[in-house]
Amino acid sequence: MKPAPFEYHAPETTADAATVLARLGDGAKVLAGGQSLVPMLALRLAVFEHLVDIGRVTELQGIEVRDGSLWIGAGTTQARVEASDDVASAVPLLTRVTPFIGHFQIRNRGTLGGSIAHADPAAEYPAVALALDATMHVTSSRGARSVAARDYFDGLWTTTMEADELLTGVTFPTWDGRCGFAVEEFARRHGDFAIAGATVGVELDDADRIGRCAIGLIGLGSTPERAGAAEAELVGRSITDVEPDDVGRLAMAGLASVPDDLHGSAGFRLRVGAAMVARAWATASTEARHG
Amino acid sequence: MGEVPVHLTVNGRRRAESVEPRLTLADFLRERCQLTGTHLGCEHGVCGACTVLVDGAAVRSCLMFAVQADGADVTTIEGVASPDGDLSTVQAAFRDCHGLQCGFCTPGFVMSVTAFLRDQPGPTDEQIRQALSGTLCRCTGYQGIFKAVRQAADAGQHGERS
Amino acid sequence: MTGTATGGAARFVGARVHRVEDARLLTGRGTFVDDVSLPGMLHACFVRSPFARAAIRGIETSAARALPGVQFVFTAADLNPGVKEQWHTSTGPNSPETPRPPLAEGEARFAGDPVALVIAESRYVAEDAAELVEVDYEALPAVVDYAEAEHAEALVHESHGSNVIGEIAGLPASALDGVFASAAHVVSETIHQQAYAPVPMEGRGLVVDYSGATGELTIYAATQVPHEVRLFCSRLLGHPEHRIRVVMRDTGGGFGQKVMLQRDEMCLMLAAPIVGAPVKWVEDRRENLLAAGKSRQEHADVKLAFDLDGAIQGAYIDFVQDCGAYPTPWPVMTSAAVGMLFPGPYRVPSAGFTCKAIYTNTVGRSAYRGPWQFESLAREVLLDISARRMGMDPIELRRRNLLRRDELPYTNPNGMSYDSISPLETFEQALAMLDYEAFRREQAKARAAGRHLGAGVSNYVEPSTPGYGYYGTEAATIRVEPSGAVNVYIAGGSTGNSIETTVVQMAADALGVKIDDVNTIQGDTAVTSFGAGAAGSRSASMTAGAVRETATLLRERLLAIAAHKLEADPEDIELADSRASVRGAPATGVSFAELAALAYFAPGSLPPGVPAGLEASARYTADAPAIWVNATHVCTCEVDVATGHVKLLRYIVSEDCGPMINPAVVEGQIAGGTVQGIGGALYEHLAYDEDGNPVATTFMDYLLPTATEVPEIEHGHIETPSPGPGGYKGVGEGGAIGAPPAVVNAVADALSPFGVTVTRLPLSPAQIVGLLDQ
């Protein structure tokens, strides 16, 4: 299975990348780690006249602890995110979700930005970005802008970025205080795309009441989902009054585009999704309560 | 598009070639370098038979284009044993533990396991299985493969070689 | 030390000798078909139908042919007339067969059907050109559901007049009416197994190098049967067999998929003489999943009759298998094995069967380890269901009905006569390894805590080593070279079954040679004698016979020459460590090198009657139609009822393959087959949608087990020698026979508190949750 021919561009700066994308328009596709794009090219499910390889743009690679947040360059590999102590202390949910991304060989090449821009609803990083209200930094020859995660994912494999825009990095807010984080994913085999999964963060006040919580959902829509209504209901309640199974049920309410395919019906995914949320909630709350 | 120059090192030897951008690193190694030990089992990044080391990291060479490897240092299965033919600890362990039958997936496993044990020298059984889960085998049922990795890991802990 | 069949000491046979194949395979120096590169070689790529069924109104190839780098674009009109004769040696020229046009002619009959063949300077260019071939398809109603195909209006093969390929039967159901009517318990179910496939890590492929000037045709092939490739090609092209050479050095797995040549390979053979340059075709993974063949897709109504104590009184199976559009080979006779073997290793007084084969507009059925294994799946699953319904422990039910050694030889009610098996012994050993009672206690505790553990068992008996016709002989040539080193030439066909190593072990023992002094050359038809290849779990026994026959001749000569040299009686000479010496006086001896020097360079000094040289050839003929093998599989699992996930906890196989040539090889074969069976039970599904579009054409959707889905496999071994050479039995297929039912039974046992009956595979999480929701 060989890809169709394409022209290859390898800019070395963000500005150059933006210029090339502006010039090439719709016929160009950004190549980051290639772990999602190259299989599609090999299967000829997608054909692009131009590939713009951002692998040489060192400005897009990096992890920076900032005030109350963590910036990760779009070109940073998942392996680097997985191994980073800064990520582990600032955004534990990212560290805990990364081992679910495929296999270590994939993570050696796959990038955080690539995963987010590819916007697969069954992927891990988009759900975490949505759950934590991350900010996506986007640039083009027309200038740079920031997009809130809730405004970034637009549909199946679609973001609100323009054709000439490039994701340069993502800023994740850091949670302080009494927090707990957990990820539960159900897949057919280790490393497979999730059939349903949950990424959960819980923060408690000193009286064990839920100060805030974030429930990101994997594989349960045409985009990553967030159980916003469930979160709103949970805020302010005492953690000990909350049954994980109830959280699971609440989180599944209102999901309108649950996938239905060879690996499971929508009904099956909702059932599994509820179990994943429940289990992740139980783990995260235990961590929040006891540290 | 016309061809693009690539310069890289493969198994310690410098290569300078001109390639179509769409030529995968796997095909570059097999056809241009005539190193056919890297195998194509799926060409869509799932089976791992094509695994090589690029700047030391285990990657699926079917998911890279040769042009992306410009400037890189690549190691393939042919570069693992010593020039005299002495098998590495990992290779010897596969031999000792009947970790291969048809041998088609074997280069991918050897490369992945070599990188894995280098980076995680004292793995638990569970960690070994997870590390192996990215490469498919149809002949062995993974039994001999698991034992080989266990043996190589244990040998590494005690500084033994093949 | 025990002796070998030829009189030497068993030193290497029986040991976990390191494989001779490993040195090259571990260092990336194997030669698989895609590693072969010939000067001027071109590359092939097929254009395949996207429709399950369509009339082909026209094919426009001009744009494809105009693409730089494209040499040819062939259609049916170009290639198909080149067929002189088309049949497989094991089937014979007179068998009914499905018409097999190399390229689709007028009608595409499955999604993936090869319609045109592009030949270009690289596979990259060939794929570009394939996209430019314009085929005018008129989609037609397709026959997709094999259960309904008999009554469908559309016909897969018009010329056949029906979608029923054929039917074969034993005793009819009516003959058993009395047995079932009078039985204390009758249990009947319909059991379904899905389509899945061998999926070797290397797909099919060949390089065909035809030289018009010399009339030489060389084929490098990914194959289990090099000599059959030669024979088939010779007949196909009408090209003299002795001018065709087939070379196979390494093949990346076969499991039955590389035993019978199919239409794609025929196209390459037909194209080569026209192309006038070597042509390579290596299928990619999508093609392998689309077009290399499917297996297993089948179901049956099965019933068992029991007396009050649970003794089986009768067994009946009404079996239907989906053969796709182009099954290879003709499937009617081969389907009979399902019916014949359904009684399994149990005491069954009466049985009957009907086996029906059906055409559909899907990929054709091809062989896969234990092609008949549905009989074990159906029987073992039904036994567990029966036990639960009768309020008996499934283990106790089996214990009551398994054949004992003192009942052998036993002729099953369909006329199959089993000997040299040990069903009760493997059963008890496997259960002891599990500690069955302890498991039941653990299960009870887990249930009380809301966790669902289960145990499943399966027993099977299998005919290995077909000892008749095309499969019934095997030859070897052994040369003690002038230096005293040994070469063993044998047909081979190893696609991972370690035949190089086991032949070397046997020859080393048979001749008393150091193992490093033995080399084997296999897989090259120019150099080795005709052999049917690696199929039907035949290699251990047949190569043993060939080595034995040939080595016996050489031993005689070696002993005679040594005795003459050492002035002793041949009866007093011992061959060991590549030396011949007088028994009891090893220091006085002569090396094989010295014996060879005499034989080759000093023929005048040889004893009277002993010919010069040290080379012999012999052909072994099997004297039994089958060598019976049996095993028991035991599996324990935990089912997460919230998600339907199955985690396998322990997996135990107790098998009786007779004495083992190499225990590591035996265990490896069983483990590989077992994991394929686990894949079939839980993960793999070569699915089609209702329009006949294949849904699992990449590894994203066709799920093979990985190292994390598979537990440690524990091996037990019972050794009942067969009557064949060395007592060896075939072991290549059994894992894939015993595993699916053991896994299914374990899951069913875990879910038994919920009252679910499991009769349909695969047991995906969604399927399990669906059963629980019912």
Side-chain angles (χ1 to χ4, degrees):
Chain A
M1 283 171 334
K2 313 298 183 188
F6 54 83
E7 305 241 343
Y8 175 75
H9 310 265
E12 298 192 353
T13 66
T14 311
D16 285 348
T19 307
V20 170
L21 285 172
R23 180 164 48 86
L24 298 176
D26 274 343
K29 180 74 177 171
V30 172
L31 171 65
Q35 305 301 283
S36 302
L37 178 61
V38 180
M40 289 171 59
L41 297 178
L43 289 161
R44 302 201 182 201
L45 291 173
V47 178
F48 298 97
E49 280 166 38
H50 301 272
L51 289 193
V52 181
D53 179 2
I54 54 144
R56 315 249 170 226
V57 185
T58 48
E59 320 167 58
L60 296 178
Q61 297 158 17
I63 298 171
E64 279 171 32
V65 176
R66 295 177 178 170
D67 191 21
S69 67
L70 182 79
W71 174 84
I72 301 181
T76 309
T77 64
Q78 294 149 1
R80 189 170 164 188
V81 171
E82 189 174 4
S84 163
D85 291 332
D86 284 339
V87 176
S89 54
V91 191
L93 211 43
L94 275 177
T95 306
R96 289 173 201 183
V97 95
T98 305
F100 286 95
I101 302 175
H103 303 279
F104 78 93
Q105 301 90 334
I106 300 271
R107 300 194 290 273
N108 279 337
R109 295 284 306 165
T111 62
L112 177 126
S115 174
I116 286 184
H118 183 58
D120 192 312
E124 289 74 7
Y125 287 159
V128 170
L130 189 63
L132 296 181
D133 289 316
T135 305
M136 294 13 165
H137 306 290
V138 165
T139 200
S140 71
S141 58
R142 297 169 282 111
R145 64 190 184 99
S146 293
V147 184
R150 69 174 166 276
D151 297 323
Y152 183 80
F153 301 102
D154 204 24
L156 185 62
W157 301 318
T158 317
T159 70
T160 53
M161 291 197 298
E162 301 291 342
D164 66 339
E165 287 186 308
L166 174 68
L167 180 69
T168 59
V170 182
T171 301
F172 295 87
T174 310
W175 289 21
D176 295 315
R178 297 177 68 213
C179 311
F181 300 96
V183 177
E184 289 282 337
E185 228 190 77
F186 183 71
R188 292 295 298 274
R189 303 169 302 178
H190 185 259
D192 281 346
F193 275 111
I195 287 177
T199 66
V200 172
V202 178
E203 189 180 285
L204 303 176
D205 67 15
D206 290 325
D208 272 2
R209 281 185 303 252
I210 297 163
R212 63 171 155 171
C213 61
I215 302 173
L217 300 174
I218 298 173
L220 290 164
S222 56
T223 61
E225 298 279 347
R226 186 164 171 186
E231 292 169 10
E233 249 221 55
L234 291 162
V235 166
R237 287 172 60 183
S238 171
I239 191 74
T240 46
D241 287 344
V242 176
E243 283 299 327
D245 284 346
D246 290 339
V247 179
R249 260 191 298 279
L250 273 171
M252 296 300 108
L255 289 170
S257 338
V258 183
D260 198 308
D261 67 16
L262 177 69
H263 301 300
S265 66
F268 174 68
R269 287 178 146 91
L270 284 168
R271 177 202 180 102
V272 174
M276 295 299 105
V277 170
R279 291 176 192 177
W281 180 268
T283 307
S285 5
T286 305
E287 185 181 37
R289 291 183 68 198
H290 306 296
Chain B
M1 178 175 197
E3 302 201 320
V4 172
V6 285
H7 297 81
L8 64 160
T9 309
V10 182
N11 297 334
R13 211 183 116 190
R14 294 217 298 266
R15 315 257 350 177
E17 301 280 340
S18 234
V19 300
E20 260 196 289
R22 65 168 168 168
L23 183 72
T24 64
L25 178 60
D27 285 334
F28 174 84
L29 293 167
R30 290 180 54 77
E31 291 166 23
R32 293 303 187 89
C33 305
Q34 271 133 28
L35 295 167
T36 57
T38 300
H39 297 148
L40 303 177
C42 77
E43 294 187 288
H44 52 278
V46 179
C47 79
C50 68
T51 306
V52 299
L53 303 187
V54 175
D55 293 330
V59 302
R60 287 140 156 47
S61 63
C62 74
L63 292 190
M64 266 185 86
F65 298 110
V67 289
Q68 291 178 283
D70 186 43
D73 186 3
V74 176
T75 308
T76 72
I77 184 69
E78 291 93 338
V80 173
S82 81
D84 292 336
D86 285 340
L87 299 181
S88 71
T89 306
V90 170
Q91 287 169 315
F94 270 74
R95 176 202 61 203
D96 295 346
C97 300
H98 195 43
L100 62 154
Q101 291 179 29
C102 81
F104 197 76
C105 70
T106 304
F109 272 106
V110 170
M111 301 317 290
S112 286
V113 170
T114 299
F116 169 66
L117 290 179
R118 177 200 65 210
D119 295 340
Q120 195 150 18
T124 62
D125 285 359
E126 182 62 20
Q127 286 169 329
I128 291 176
R129 288 185 189 282
Q130 288 183 1
L132 292 175
S133 68
T135 312
L136 298 177
C137 174
R138 204 52 171 160
C139 293
T140 65
Y142 306 103
Q143 304 297 300
I145 295 175
F146 174 83
K147 290 187 183 124
V149 182
R150 186 75 268 164
Q151 174 177 308
D154 294 346
Q157 293 292 82
H158 299 111
E160 294 149 35
R161 216 185 174 276
S162 61
Chain C
M1 273 191 289
T2 52
T4 63
T6 42
R11 197 175 143 188
F12 302 107
V13 168
R16 291 172 189 263
V17 167
H18 285 163
R19 296 197 330 156
V20 307
E21 296 92 333
D22 286 357
R24 66 182 189 268
L25 295 172
L26 280 168
T27 55
R29 291 191 165 84
T31 309
F32 296 88
V33 68
D34 198 22
D35 303 338
V36 172
S37 191
L38 300 176
M41 187 172 76
L42 298 172
H43 297 258
C45 175
F46 285 97
V47 176
R48 297 181 182 278
S49 167
F51 296 102
R53 183 165 172 251
I56 299 170
R57 295 276 172 239
I59 304 181
E60 182 51 63
T61 63
S62 52
R65 277 183 287 115
L67 192 67
V70 174
Q71 306 290 330
F72 296 89
V73 180
F74 295 120
T75 63
D78 301 312
L79 297 185
N80 295 5
V83 175
K84 302 286 188 292
E85 281 179 69
Q86 191 214 116
W87 45 276
H88 299 92
T89 311
S90 57
T91 321
N94 301 315
S95 167
E97 261 299 1
T98 306
R100 275 193 213 106
L103 283 174
E105 219 169 273
E107 185 172 329
R109 293 190 169 86
F110 69 100
D113 197 342
V115 166
L117 180 65
V118 175
I119 310 285
E121 70 189 18
S122 76
R123 176 77 184 203
Y124 283 74
V125 172
E127 289 192 17
D128 295 341
E131 292 198 316
L132 296 174
V133 174
E134 288 166 34
V135 185
D136 184 7
Y137 293 107
E138 183 193 316
L140 297 170
V143 179
V144 181
D145 182 356
Y146 76 100
E148 302 297 315
E150 200 171 345
H151 310 292
E153 225 178 279
L155 288 178
V156 178
H157 291 280
E158 195 90 26
S159 58
H160 191 66
S162 162
N163 289 326
V164 177
I165 305 174
E167 205 167 302
I168 191 163
L171 277 186
S174 53
L176 297 160
D177 280 346
V179 171
F180 282 93
S182 61
H185 303 277
V186 172
V187 183
S188 57
E189 284 293 341
T190 306
I191 313 262
H192 298 258
Q193 180 161 231
Q194 83 282 23
Y196 54 105
V199 192
M201 291 319 300
E202 180 208 36
R204 299 169 300 160
L206 69 174
V207 177
V208 186
D209 181 11
Y210 180 97
S211 166
T214 62
E216 284 175 4
L217 199 154
T218 308
I219 300 176
Y220 299 83
T223 181
Q224 297 170 241
V225 293
H227 283 92
E228 170 64 358
V229 174
R230 182 164 90 160
L231 275 173
F232 185 95
C233 180
S234 166
R235 290 190 292 261
L236 185 75
L237 301 181
H239 194 89
E241 187 198 7
H242 64 297
R243 291 235 163 81
I244 301 177
R245 177 180 188 178
V246 176
V247 180
M248 190 287 282
R249 185 92 208 276
D250 292 300
T251 291
F255 318 113
Q257 196 169 74
K258 294 172 182 167
V259 172
M260 297 256 167
L261 289 168
Q262 297 190 65
R263 292 160 60 226
D264 318 75
E265 290 112 327
M266 288 201 278
C267 290
L268 269 296
M269 292 173 181
L270 292 161
I274 306 173
V275 171
V279 193
K280 170 187 277 188
W281 173 66
V282 173
E283 80 179 343
D284 62 34
R285 182 55 55 192
R286 187 167 42 188
E287 289 181 278
N288 177 261
L289 291 172
L290 199 55
K294 70 174 175 204
S295 309
R296 314 295 195 228
Q297 172 92 328
E298 58 218 340
H299 70 276
D301 299 328
V302 285
K303 58 184 183 180
L304 291 170
F306 302 88
D307 72 10
L308 270 171
D309 298 323
I312 300 171
Q313 302 302 295
Y316 188 79
I317 178 168
D318 187 351
F319 170 73
V320 186
Q321 65 178 1
D322 180 355
C323 298
Y326 291 105
T328 319
W330 181 249
V332 179
M333 284 305 301
T334 53
S335 75
V338 176
M340 306 276 282
L341 292 167
F342 181 59
Y346 297 93
R347 194 176 308 110
V348 178
S350 309
F353 65 87
T354 311
C355 297
K356 195 171 4 183
I358 304 283
Y359 282 131
T360 59
N361 287 113
T362 62
V363 69
R365 192 178 186 93
S366 61
Y368 181 15
R369 270 173 153 162
W372 62 83
Q373 51 83 276
F374 181 83
E375 48 80 32
S376 283
L377 174 70
R379 177 190 61 253
E380 297 298 318
V381 167
L382 194 59
L383 278 172
D384 266 32
I385 292 171
S386 304
R388 274 192 284 277
R389 296 222 177 119
M390 296 190 292
M392 280 183 76
D393 183 333
I395 298 306
E396 201 38 53
L397 179 61
R398 285 180 173 77
R399 189 172 279 130
R400 219 164 272 203
N401 288 285
L402 278 168
L403 290 168
R404 296 183 315 269
R405 272 189 169 136
D406 61 35
E407 295 175 86
L408 305 172
Y410 176 87
T411 303
N412 92 358
N414 296 312
M416 312 228 84
S417 177
Y418 312 143
D419 63 86
S420 315
I421 56 173
S422 57
L424 204 49
E425 287 72 21
T426 56
F427 176 73
E428 299 296 1
Q429 184 183 66
L431 290 171
M433 287 169 70
L434 172 67
D435 191 346
Y436 182 67
E437 299 306 324
F439 174 79
R440 285 290 178 216
R441 288 192 297 272
E442 193 192 338
Q443 180 186 48
K445 260 194 276 186
R447 275 194 183 139
R451 290 170 52 225
H452 305 279
L453 308 189
V457 175
S458 73
N459 297 299
Y460 69 86
V461 64
E462 156 195 11
S464 75
T465 324
Y468 49 84
Y470 160 81
Y471 288 109
T473 75
E474 188 75 25
T477 297
I478 302 181
R479 249 184 231 153
V480 179
E481 305 286 1
S483 66
V486 178
N487 266 319
V488 183
Y489 302 83
I490 197 163
S494 174
T495 57
N497 12 11
S498 312
I499 303 175
E500 291 182 26
T501 302
T502 51
V503 161
V504 163
Q505 287 175 265
M506 291 191 289
D509 277 359
L511 295 174
V513 182
K514 286 190 214 159
I515 198 162
D516 288 342
D517 287 347
V518 184
N519 184 47
T520 182
I521 292 165
Q522 302 181 9
D524 185 340
T525 62
V527 170
T528 61
S529 309
F530 170 78
S537 302
R538 65 187 292 275
S539 299
S541 179
M542 299 306 287
T543 59
V547 169
R548 179 188 67 187
E549 299 292 299
T550 315
T552 300
L553 298 174
L554 274 179
R555 273 186 77 87
E556 262 174 47
R557 288 155 65 176
L558 286 162
L559 292 172
I561 299 170
H564 187 72
K565 172 84 178 160
L566 297 172
E567 295 174 356
D569 203 290
E571 303 261 311
D572 296 329
I573 303 290
E574 209 162 57
L575 301 178
D577 290 327
S578 305
R579 293 183 66 77
S581 51
V582 176
R583 191 170 291 107
T588 74
V590 64
S591 70
F592 268 50
E594 291 170 83
L595 292 175
L598 290 172
Y600 285 102
F601 309 139
S605 69
L606 295 175
V610 175
L614 275 176
E615 175 178 322
S617 297
R619 182 167 291 272
Y620 161 71
T621 303
D623 53 32
I627 291 183
W628 295 96
V629 200
N630 65 283
T632 300
H633 286 227
V634 170
C635 173
T636 62
C637 74
E638 176 162 359
V639 181
D640 179 341
V641 297
T643 62
H645 178 69
V646 175
K647 181 179 158 82
L648 300 183
L649 302 173
R650 285 183 71 187
Y651 202 101
I652 296 158
V653 182
S654 168
E655 53 64 36
D656 185 345
C657 67
M660 297 185 278
I661 303 170
N662 186 324
V665 171
V666 168
E667 290 170 4
Q669 288 295 301
I670 288 166
T674 294
V675 171
Q676 286 179 312
I678 289 171
L682 300 176
Y683 297 101
E684 301 176 38
H685 191 177
L686 207 60
Y688 285 79
D689 70 16
E690 59 204 16
D691 298 319
N693 297 310
V695 167
T697 57
T698 70
F699 279 158
M700 298 339 164
D701 292 310
Y702 191 89
L703 305 178
L704 298 185
T706 76
T708 44
E709 284 72 58
V710 167
E712 183 194 336
I713 296 172
E714 303 162 57
H715 297 274
H717 182 65
I718 302 285
E719 197 165 301
T720 309
S722 78
Y728 311 128
K729 305 176 180 178
V731 79
E733 293 172 271
I737 300 173
V743 174
V744 172
N745 281 342
V747 172
D749 185 54
L751 299 180
S752 59
F754 298 93
V756 307
T757 302
V758 179
T759 55
R760 189 179 281 271
L761 275 61
L763 288 174
S764 65
Q767 170 85 342
I768 288 174
V769 161
L771 284 171
L772 290 167
D773 284 347
Q774 271 168 28

